[in-house]
Amino acid sequence: MRLFARLMYRALVWKERQRARQGRRAIESSAPGISRLESQTPRQAAHLETGKRGETLAYWYLRRAGYTMVARNRRSTSGGELDLVGWDASVLAFIEVKTRSSLEAGPPEAAVLPEQRKRIVRGARDYLRRLKRKDVTYRFDIVSVLWDPEEGYKVRLIKDAFKEQ
């Protein structure tokens, strides 16, 4: 299974590099300062699309690293939200994925603010309550995904990124 995950991850990285090359060509061939993508889609939709692509890349990155993924985009009734949930050996990891297209606002992991951490913890508590297992060891990880125009996405896993408060 890891071989399949490795191949999927490489295919996604290749696809993102191709997308970057096409984007540069589109910018060079269109009016100065305006790409075809920007003229066709609202800025918000482009932002959400970048996040979605980063989350997919993070999913396959974690699979390649040996995680067994059990949930994606899980929303709880308590207002919590979980991007990814997966087992890293015997530890259940609640994973927040942050994708950025530049470092202007700082590294992606810096965007996981205390209020968002509280929402993640609420989602994790709800998930553990529904899991109905008493002896679960868990932690909170962050996957930082940074868009590099030359290389595509760069992915970094931060295990045990924060603690439950």
Side-chain angles (χ1 to χ4, degrees):
M1 190 54 117
R2 276 195 187 172
L3 176 63
F4 180 70
R6 219 175 305 144
L7 292 172
M8 283 297 296
Y9 179 75
R10 285 183 182 168
L12 286 169
V13 169
W14 177 84
K15 180 181 172 185
E16 292 304 330
R17 286 184 181 145
Q18 295 301 315
R19 186 177 291 202
R21 286 187 194 116
Q22 290 172 351
R24 282 194 300 270
R25 283 189 220 126
I27 289 170
E28 291 166 0
S29 66
S30 66
I34 300 174
S35 73
R36 280 188 238 147
L37 287 175
E38 288 174 350
S39 64
Q40 291 177 354
T41 60
R43 185 180 178 129
Q44 183 69 17
H47 171 75
L48 293 174
E49 180 62 27
T50 299
K52 184 178 176 184
R53 289 180 8 227
E55 208 167 276
T56 300
L57 193 63
Y59 172 85
W60 287 106
Y61 178 86
L62 292 169
R63 291 275 311 269
R64 186 183 82 164
Y67 280 64
T68 302
M69 305 310 292
V70 293
R72 270 178 100 166
N73 295 317
R74 181 156 166 80
R75 307 284 182 244
S76 71
T77 57
S78 64
E81 57 180 70
L82 302 169
D83 288 342
L84 298 170
V85 180
W87 289 96
D88 181 19
S90 63
V91 178
L92 185 62
F94 297 101
I95 305 145
E96 178 65 18
V97 180
K98 283 295 174 189
T99 306
R100 294 288 179 262
S101 55
S102 74
L103 287 172
E104 288 177 19
E109 62 272 12
V112 184
L113 301 173
E115 185 58 38
Q116 187 170 18
R117 290 178 184 193
K118 288 177 186 175
R119 284 195 306 270
I120 295 166
V121 168
R122 277 196 308 265
R125 285 181 184 154
D126 185 53
Y127 189 88
L128 290 168
R129 188 171 38 255
R130 292 172 187 246
L131 192 58
K132 296 180 182 173
R133 283 181 53 189
K134 302 278 186 207
D135 60 340
V136 176
T137 303
Y138 63 94
R139 69 171 186 250
F140 299 95
D141 295 350
I142 296 176
V143 175
S144 171
V145 183
L146 178 64
W147 171 248
D148 182 330
E150 297 299 318
E151 298 179 29
Y153 285 105
K154 292 183 178 179
V155 182
R156 187 167 62 114
L157 171 62
I158 304 164
K159 291 185 177 185
D160 207 12
F162 61 92
K163 300 288 183 194
E164 184 175 357
Q165 296 176 346

